[in-house]
Amino acid sequence: MATLNTGQSSEDMFTVVKSTSNTLAPRLGRLTLPGRNAIETPHYIGLTSRGVVPHLSQDNYASLTSIQGVYTPLEDFIERKVPPLYLFKPPDGSSRLRRFTALPDKSLLVLGARRTPPVIAPPATSNTNDSIAVSTLVGFKLLKAEEYAESVEKLGADIVIGLGDIPYGRALGSKRIVKATDRSIEWLQDHVARRKRNAGQAGFEGQGKLFAPLIPLSCAKQQFYIDTLAEELQNDVAGLAIYSSVTLEDLPDEIAHLPRLDLTEVATPRAVLRQIANGVDVITMPFVSVVTDAGIALDFTFPGPKQIPPTPLSLGIDLWTTSHATDLSPLREGCTCYACTDHHRAYLQHLLAAKEMLGWVLLQIHNHHVIDQFFAAIRSSIAAGTFEKDIDTFTRCYEPELPEKTGQGPRVRGYQFRSEGPGEAKKNPTAFNTYDSSGVETPVAPDASEDAGDLEGKGFAEKDG
Amino acid sequence: MPSHDPMPPPGTSALRYELLAKCSTTRARAATLHLTHGPVPLPIFMPVATQASLKGLTPKQLEETGCRLCLNNTYHLGLKPGQKTLDAIGGAHKLQGWEHNILTDSGGFQMVSLLQLAQVTEEGVRFLSPHDKSPMLLTPEHSISLQNSIGSDIIMQLDDVIATTSPDHARITSATARSIRWLDRCIAAHRNPSTQALFCIIQGGLSLPLRRQCTQEMLARNTPGIAIGGLSGGEAKSSFCAVVSAVTELLPETKPRYVMGVGFPDDLVVSVALGADMFDCVWPTRTARFGNAVTARGTLNLRHQSFAEDFRPIEAGCGCVCCRAPAEGGLGVTRAFVFHTAAKETAGAHLLSVHNVWFLLGLMGRVREAVVRDVFPGFLRGYFAEMYGGDKGRYPEWAVEALRGVGVDLMVDE
């Protein structure tokens, strides 16, 4: 494996193909990392939980989706005293994190500290001068900046996001801003120094590109930090991680050539468009898995149907709706994803109603496919110079928000939310009750909500007498 | 969209059993079973896709494990999505996008569970609707009608299932007699004999005379296939073997024999030696969801701490997509990664389900090959030696005993 020189400029990794202005304008680019698919930007990358895009086993990820890359948080791997990932030495000498999570070779692998969105740390566990609070499988803990800088470089991610003092879920006062800036500069300087020391050493063969995390503030409010990136660290930082849309508003020319990775937790397709219109190159979209878990199949194109509809269209189809029960049409007319070509709405309706895991697998495949098409159309629109007009069309064609969840999602796990204290409602409905029998199988009894007429109607049994 | 329409060549029946080889020592047989949705190799393990889905696997993934015949559960589908929906969709193949064969159970097994609120009578099972408490009746005709709507390639008669461990011999005798009478009703009710093969289910508890009597009665009804039911309910393994052996002894060579609810590797290889061909069990996929990997050296609980840093494949040399190295087109999944995801992300369970189903189908494939080459006794010795690390003291007594009965003594080296 080629050793990457940390001192090399980022130009060969990221090329801006088309741009009208350095700030607040959409741009086309190409992100090329050694051995990976070249990614035409703007594009998205998938979000992983414990190393996998939720619901997608890696064989399905590889064969049934076109997801070009993933963002993986280190906090998903460090619950044990000595994280097993750190001990793993793949027999073929390739990336530890990639092999451990069985991510296909062609996929871009981006490593950061925290999930997006992260579970917000309780005030008692806040960031300190030398560490940040992370949420692991077994609870919150402090991750030291030096441990992060040292460990991530050995894991073989293509892109590593430096550790920033990102105050998730909190507004910053002016003193705290100074602190966050100072910490982020210091951590990044230290990280860069370590990279230089370790470059070429055994165990550090797969050093990735380093992205600097910007504090979720305007650039003016973190001027020292921006200056450091533009001057002292200009040869060491290959890209920017963006945590707030305000940061894009006054991004100075000196760092405008760097690729921008959006971790602002966009919640809707409209928000995606806004971020891209403001110059984001690669974006992460937590709403895709949220929509999947809600049993909703995304159903939109960019900029929208040829004729603007009289009333805005829904962005998705709720497959919990029982009217789909005998509908053999694809989730979305004309869609070429596996879920739409090999299956139909009736099956999805059945799988959701029966709480079969495959329902969410198929939805995840479909929803990512819709997003693929969305981004392809966005790039065409920018190339054609019609992006602004097309956003306007999209805004008139579709509702602003995604449909509300009506059915039940898959089981929620402890590491996906923070307990808010005693008396909290259950996150999952009770699936099983005590069964006072030596029977070896869960009884297949009709739902308590079904009366005899329903059962007879379904052909399950007939009314007796 | 793949085509799912069953189209048997005109004039053929729903099932043709093609015997390829017989073991010259044991009763094991190798065959090809020709069904409406294509041929399947026997002996075979059939994974259970209870509600028209194999626990998170896409039909494509299931196909890639080599599976060509899987189970659906009649009464689960009867409740969801229901017969009307199945009729509107055009059956379970269309519902789940599965181009290969499906077998549906009788629903009789579920009756054991329904019995909590039900009573078995000659007409059928009477129970109270849990919602409005109105009395309802579920009959053999319902079972067949539902299975006709499902369109499964193999359907099972409704039987009166009693736990083999029941001490009530009179009840077992009457249930056996009732199962025979219900078979007649099922045959009469069956609308699609040219596309769906109906299997009888031999009952009789653990009583060998009763089993033999039931076998004779049911053979007289000449169904295309024969199932041995009512086992795998917690009876002693030696009793299980005695029943299988007593029944297969009486069965014609020309029909497939299905032992219901069997899925542990030891049980499978012994049952094949006793002359059975087809098996189903939820165990491999259920145990996968608990983080257990089935291997030739036993079951590994990959949720155990000892696997946290175990970077070996789930099973070395396994050809499933999880275990194969990336250089061989596989995922190269390690035990440590399964530990990392098991019971945390469902994808971890999906990976183990793929492995476990692959393992059991592969095991049956190796059994078949050994029978074809007439080296099955040697295969059995090798199998048990690997499973128990060469320690004969750990071989299960019931298996040693059962295999002795068909001419293979595991305790004596060849």
Side-chain angles (χ1 to χ4, degrees):
Chain A
M1 178 166 288
T3 304
L4 298 175
N5 182 352
T6 48
Q8 113 194 93
S9 95
S10 69
E11 274 155 16
D12 49 350
M13 173 195 73
F14 181 68
T15 329
V16 176
V17 177
K18 179 183 175 179
S19 167
T20 51
S21 159
N22 274 342
T23 44
L24 291 179
R27 61 184 190 179
L28 293 175
R30 187 175 297 115
L31 189 65
T32 319
L33 282 130
R36 312 297 161 238
N37 289 322
I39 298 179
E40 302 295 329
T41 63
H43 215 306
Y44 75 97
I45 51 174
L47 289 171
T48 64
S49 168
R50 298 197 72 73
V52 292
V53 175
H55 311 296
L56 297 180
S57 57
Q58 290 82 341
D59 51 337
N60 282 339
Y61 173 96
S63 65
L64 301 180
T65 80
S66 303
I67 303 171
Q68 300 284 314
V70 293
Y71 171 84
T72 293
L74 186 69
E75 67 181 358
D76 280 357
F77 298 87
I78 53 173
E79 64 271 11
R80 296 173 72 87
K81 201 167 171 205
V82 180
L85 176 62
Y86 295 178
L87 304 171
F88 182 37
K89 293 193 179 69
D92 56 1
S94 55
S95 155
R96 292 177 186 205
L97 181 57
R98 179 179 300 276
R99 283 288 177 264
F100 188 75
T101 59
L103 184 73
D105 281 345
K106 288 287 174 189
S107 268
L108 181 73
L109 177 52
V110 182
L111 178 61
R114 303 220 54 197
R115 290 175 167 234
T116 180
V119 179
I120 292 173
T125 322
S126 52
N127 297 353
T128 71
N129 281 339
D130 62 359
S131 60
I132 66 158
V134 296
S135 167
T136 74
L137 191 63
V138 294
F140 283 92
K141 74 172 199 178
L142 289 174
L143 172 63
K144 292 245 187 241
E146 57 177 51
E147 183 197 327
Y148 180 77
E150 198 72 18
S151 313
V152 290
E153 295 297 335
K154 295 180 197 164
L155 299 180
D158 300 313
I159 292 172
V160 166
I161 300 172
L163 199 67
D165 183 16
I166 310 298
Y168 292 107
R170 287 188 191 94
L172 294 183
S174 54
K175 278 189 178 166
R176 183 67 179 82
I177 291 176
V178 174
K179 209 189 245 180
T181 313
D182 288 350
R183 285 174 180 171
S184 299
I185 293 173
E186 195 189 321
W187 294 348
L188 196 62
Q189 285 170 329
D190 177 67
H191 193 152
V192 166
R194 282 171 194 277
R195 278 165 69 87
K196 287 186 173 156
R197 269 205 306 278
N198 292 331
Q201 306 276 325
F204 292 88
E205 291 85 353
Q207 268 190 350
K209 297 286 185 182
L210 181 63
F211 275 36
L214 297 187
I215 299 161
L217 300 166
S218 67
C219 289
K221 286 189 176 164
Q222 48 187 321
Q223 191 63 50
F224 282 141
Y225 185 27
I226 302 286
D227 290 347
T228 310
L229 298 178
E231 292 158 20
E232 180 193 334
L233 300 178
Q234 62 168 312
N235 293 323
D236 305 299
V237 169
L240 304 173
I242 307 288
Y243 293 86
S244 166
S245 46
V246 300
T247 311
L248 295 168
E249 287 171 10
D250 59 349
L251 207 63
D253 285 351
E254 297 78 49
I255 54 171
H257 62 286
L258 296 173
R260 302 154 191 167
L261 169 63
D262 186 292
L263 294 159
T264 63
E265 305 164 23
V266 287
T268 63
R270 273 193 198 185
V272 171
L273 293 170
R274 190 190 62 226
Q275 293 304 90
I276 290 172
N278 289 345
V280 152
D281 302 301
V282 178
I283 191 163
T284 55
M285 297 177 296
F287 71 80
V288 182
S289 283
V290 173
V291 161
T292 294
D293 287 355
I296 290 165
L298 291 177
D299 180 28
F300 60 84
T301 57
F302 186 76
K306 286 211 170 64
Q307 291 279 317
I308 292 181
T311 53
L313 303 172
S314 173
L315 290 162
I317 300 161
D318 182 358
L319 289 160
W320 278 96
T321 313
T322 49
S323 60
H324 302 302
T326 57
D327 187 346
L328 297 183
S329 53
L331 308 189
R332 194 169 154 249
E333 213 48 63
C335 181
T336 56
C337 82
Y338 168 72
C340 287
T341 53
D342 283 44
H343 301 285
H344 39 67
R345 293 181 184 193
Y347 191 37
L348 262 293
Q349 218 287 314
H350 166 71
L351 292 171
L352 290 174
K355 297 192 190 74
E356 280 286 337
M357 293 181 280
L358 182 59
W360 294 296
V361 173
L362 294 176
L363 281 170
Q364 193 74 310
I365 290 167
H366 170 80
N367 287 339
H368 280 90
H369 181 81
V370 171
I371 295 294
D372 280 322
Q373 305 291 101
F374 182 54
F375 276 83
I378 287 171
R379 290 190 298 272
S380 303
S381 169
I382 298 172
T386 57
F387 193 49
E388 202 130 314
K389 183 173 93 8
D390 291 339
I391 291 179
D392 181 58
T393 307
F394 185 85
T395 308
R396 286 157 63 195
C397 286
Y398 293 103
E399 287 175 352
E401 300 294 326
L402 290 155
E404 289 287 330
K405 169 177 164 177
T406 61
Q408 289 173 7
R411 189 176 145 193
V412 179
R413 309 280 173 173
Y415 58 86
Q416 295 168 332
F417 62 89
R418 176 161 69 93
S419 168
E420 302 294 340
E424 206 171 4
K426 274 189 141 181
K427 299 287 186 212
N428 300 305
T430 310
F432 298 101
N433 290 308
T434 43
Y435 177 48
D436 59 341
S437 156
S438 56
V440 286
E441 178 156 298
T442 310
V444 182
D447 276 350
S449 61
E450 289 182 294
D451 64 25
D454 293 337
L455 292 175
E456 188 167 64
K458 287 203 282 192
F460 179 75
E462 68 191 38
K463 283 191 186 173
D464 187 25
Chain B
M1 193 81 152
S3 161
H4 307 294
D5 289 326
M7 284 185 297
T12 58
S13 69
L15 178 152
R16 188 163 60 84
Y17 177 84
E18 183 192 351
L19 183 66
L20 298 181
K22 280 166 59 184
C23 173
S24 58
T25 308
T26 70
R27 295 187 199 158
R29 300 134 38 101
T32 301
L33 190 62
H34 298 271
L35 296 169
T36 301
H37 285 82
V40 295
L42 298 190
I44 193 171
F45 173 78
M46 305 175 284
V48 184
T50 302
Q51 309 197 75
S53 143
L54 189 77
K55 299 303 165 197
L57 302 196
T58 62
K60 199 164 147 31
Q61 279 174 301
L62 180 57
E63 191 178 50
E64 281 159 10
T65 65
C67 176
R68 294 294 178 270
L69 172 55
C70 72
L71 252 78
N72 283 176
N73 284 103
T74 297
Y75 279 115
H76 283 87
L77 294 191
L79 285 169
K80 273 187 187 105
Q83 188 168 25
K84 271 192 179 162
T85 303
L86 284 164
D87 283 336
I89 291 171
H93 292 87
K94 270 202 174 141
L95 173 69
Q96 62 206 295
W98 177 245
E99 294 176 62
H100 306 292
N101 296 288
I102 297 173
L103 181 152
T104 39
D105 70 337
S106 59
F109 188 74
Q110 272 72 36
M111 263 169 38
V112 177
S113 331
L114 271 176
L115 269 176
Q116 298 292 310
L117 54 147
Q119 174 198 10
V120 181
T121 69
E122 187 57 26
E123 252 187 302
V125 188
R126 286 173 200 283
F127 66 99
L128 298 180
S129 158
H131 182 62
D132 56 9
K133 305 288 175 218
S134 56
M136 303 206 65
L137 176 65
L138 194 144
T139 64
E141 289 77 13
H142 275 117
S143 171
I144 297 301
S145 171
L146 256 176
Q147 295 186 75
N148 285 157
S149 292
I150 290 168
S152 34
D153 302 274
I154 296 176
I155 68 176
M156 307 303 295
Q157 75 155 113
L158 186 73
D159 51 349
D160 186 359
V161 183
I162 303 296
T164 46
T165 46
S166 166
D168 185 350
H169 188 73
R171 175 71 184 93
I172 291 174
T173 308
S174 75
T176 305
R178 179 170 293 139
S179 292
I180 297 165
R181 290 192 297 274
W182 282 4
L183 173 60
D184 288 329
R185 285 168 63 185
C186 288
I187 292 171
H190 185 19
R191 296 196 308 269
N192 311 321
S194 67
T195 53
Q196 298 181 277
L198 173 66
F199 280 34
C200 63
I201 304 176
I202 293 166
Q203 289 292 348
L206 298 179
S207 152
L208 300 187
L210 203 51
R211 285 277 179 179
R212 290 195 183 99
Q213 191 191 334
C214 185
T215 305
Q216 297 299 356
E217 291 279 356
M218 286 187 166
L219 285 181
R221 270 81 177 168
N222 198 26
T223 52
I226 295 146
I228 303 173
L231 295 174
S232 294
E235 72 280 352
K237 288 283 171 72
S238 53
S239 310
F240 165 87
C241 291
V243 169
V244 173
S245 186
V247 173
T248 58
E249 204 170 30
L250 302 176
L251 296 181
E253 210 166 71
T254 53
K255 289 184 182 182
R257 305 148 178 188
Y258 165 27
V259 180
M260 306 175 79
V262 170
F264 296 136
D266 289 2
D267 301 16
L268 292 173
V269 297
V270 171
S271 297
V272 170
L274 298 180
D277 309 310
M278 303 169 67
F279 313 93
D280 78 285
C281 193
V282 295
W283 175 71
T285 42
R286 177 174 292 172
T287 209
R289 297 200 296 289
F290 301 147
N292 294 317
V294 187
T295 78
R297 291 170 186 209
T299 302
L300 306 174
N301 175 7
L302 297 181
R303 288 177 73 187
H304 191 270
Q305 301 289 332
S306 59
F307 294 106
E309 296 167 7
D310 188 337
F311 301 114
R312 290 174 291 176
I314 300 167
E315 182 171 27
C318 170
C320 85
V321 68
C322 304
C323 293
R324 265 182 291 135
E328 297 158 355
L331 296 171
V333 168
T334 60
R335 296 171 176 186
F337 182 65
V338 177
F339 174 86
H340 181 77
T341 47
K344 310 289 191 306
E345 278 298 327
T346 54
H350 302 165
L351 293 172
L352 272 186
S353 287
V354 166
H355 169 82
N356 288 354
V357 170
W358 174 279
F359 174 81
L360 287 174
L361 293 179
L363 176 64
M364 291 289 97
R366 293 190 291 279
V367 164
R368 187 171 190 258
E369 199 196 321
V371 174
V372 168
R373 292 170 47 221
D374 202 13
V375 293
F376 187 56
F379 171 90
L380 287 169
R381 289 175 210 284
Y383 167 87
F384 280 98
E386 186 172 14
M387 184 59 83
Y388 295 99
D391 179 359
K392 289 194 163 106
R394 290 174 54 214
Y395 289 14
E397 254 174 60
W398 64 269
V400 172
E401 207 45 50
L403 291 175
R404 263 190 200 127
V406 288
V408 178
D409 193 337
L410 294 178
M411 292 299 145
V412 178
D413 290 319
E414 272 188 318

